[in-house]
Every structure is written in C-alpha cells, then in structure tokens.
Amino acid sequence: MSVFNFHNKTFYLVENSKNGKVNADTVFNYQQEDNIVTANYSGGTVKHGKIIATLDNDILHMLYQCVTLENELKAGKATAKISFTKSNKMLLKLNWQWLTGNLEKGVSEYIEK
C-alpha cells in the first residue's frame, strides 16, 4: 500500500513554466483507486481538463488533456515526483511535455489544499 493517497484531494498550482496552460486559478480534484489516479481540472485558462495516471512508489506517470478558454484542445504527458511539505501536504513536481502543437516541455509544481 502506498503512503500517498490522492482520493478526494484538491491541488493548486505553485509554479509553472511560461509555456504551461494552467495558472493559480486552476483547481485539480483528484481521485484514486489502487494505483490508478485520476483528476478533473478547470478554472483560470482551462475550461475542462482530465488526468489519468499510474502511481509507482513516489512517482505519478501522467497523461492529461484539456480544452482552454481559447477552445484549444491540448494533450500532454508528465512524470510527477511526490513529496510532503513540512505541514504534511503533498507536493507534486512535474516534468511535462505537450503532445500537441510544438511539443514544448516544462516544469510545474502543485500543492495539496
């Protein structure tokens, strides 16, 4: 059993690369069943987004897709390193890449509410 439990957890952006789409107003609502982690996200520059991931120890292997406010359909992949803050909140540090458009890469960080 994993020490990480994403079920009914909410995350917010801490920091993102310039070529990322989410911002501080984007809210991520996670669910988990065994090692499968999913999320719906919206707000800010994102109308609607979905994440599906597998949990492997302290790593999430993620695929994501979203529709932006400009009606762009975007998709990407990421590897998220999971850790805990001093206040025992989960912290996700992502290395991501768009799978659509110009295939840009970036890094972002999210914290549990």
Side-chain angles (χ1 to χ4, degrees):
M1 180 103 188
S2 174
V3 298
F4 304 106
N5 178 2
F6 285 86
H7 198 64
N8 293 324
K9 300 287 175 88
T10 302
F11 283 77
Y12 293 92
L13 179 72
V14 175
E15 189 174 345
N16 200 2
S17 297
K18 288 182 183 180
N19 51 343
K21 278 293 178 186
V22 301
N23 62 25
D25 295 324
T26 310
V27 178
F28 295 78
N29 296 301
Y30 280 83
Q31 300 294 316
Q32 182 176 347
E33 186 174 324
D34 299 319
N35 74 321
I36 306 297
V37 177
T38 60
N40 291 312
Y41 61 101
S42 62
T45 59
V46 176
K47 281 185 186 178
H48 186 74
K50 296 254 185 208
I51 295 171
I52 187 163
T54 55
L55 178 59
D56 183 15
N57 295 314
D58 63 345
I59 302 290
L60 275 178
H61 300 279
M62 310 170 93
L63 292 172
Y64 54 89
Q65 58 192 10
C66 69
V67 177
T68 69
L69 290 180
E70 297 85 21
N71 285 315
E72 285 181 284
L73 182 60
K74 304 281 288 178
K77 65 180 180 177
T79 302
K81 174 78 170 165
I82 311 162
S83 62
F84 286 104
T85 65
K86 290 179 182 178
S87 60
N88 211 32
K89 299 290 185 182
M90 275 193 287
L91 188 67
L92 305 177
K93 293 188 179 185
L94 277 68
N95 287 304
W96 54 263
Q97 180 179 7
W98 289 116
L99 297 174
T100 54
N102 59 12
L103 307 180
E104 289 179 300
K105 295 180 179 182
V107 294
S108 57
E109 189 171 303
Y110 302 84
I111 193 163
E112 177 187 352
K113 178 180 176 184

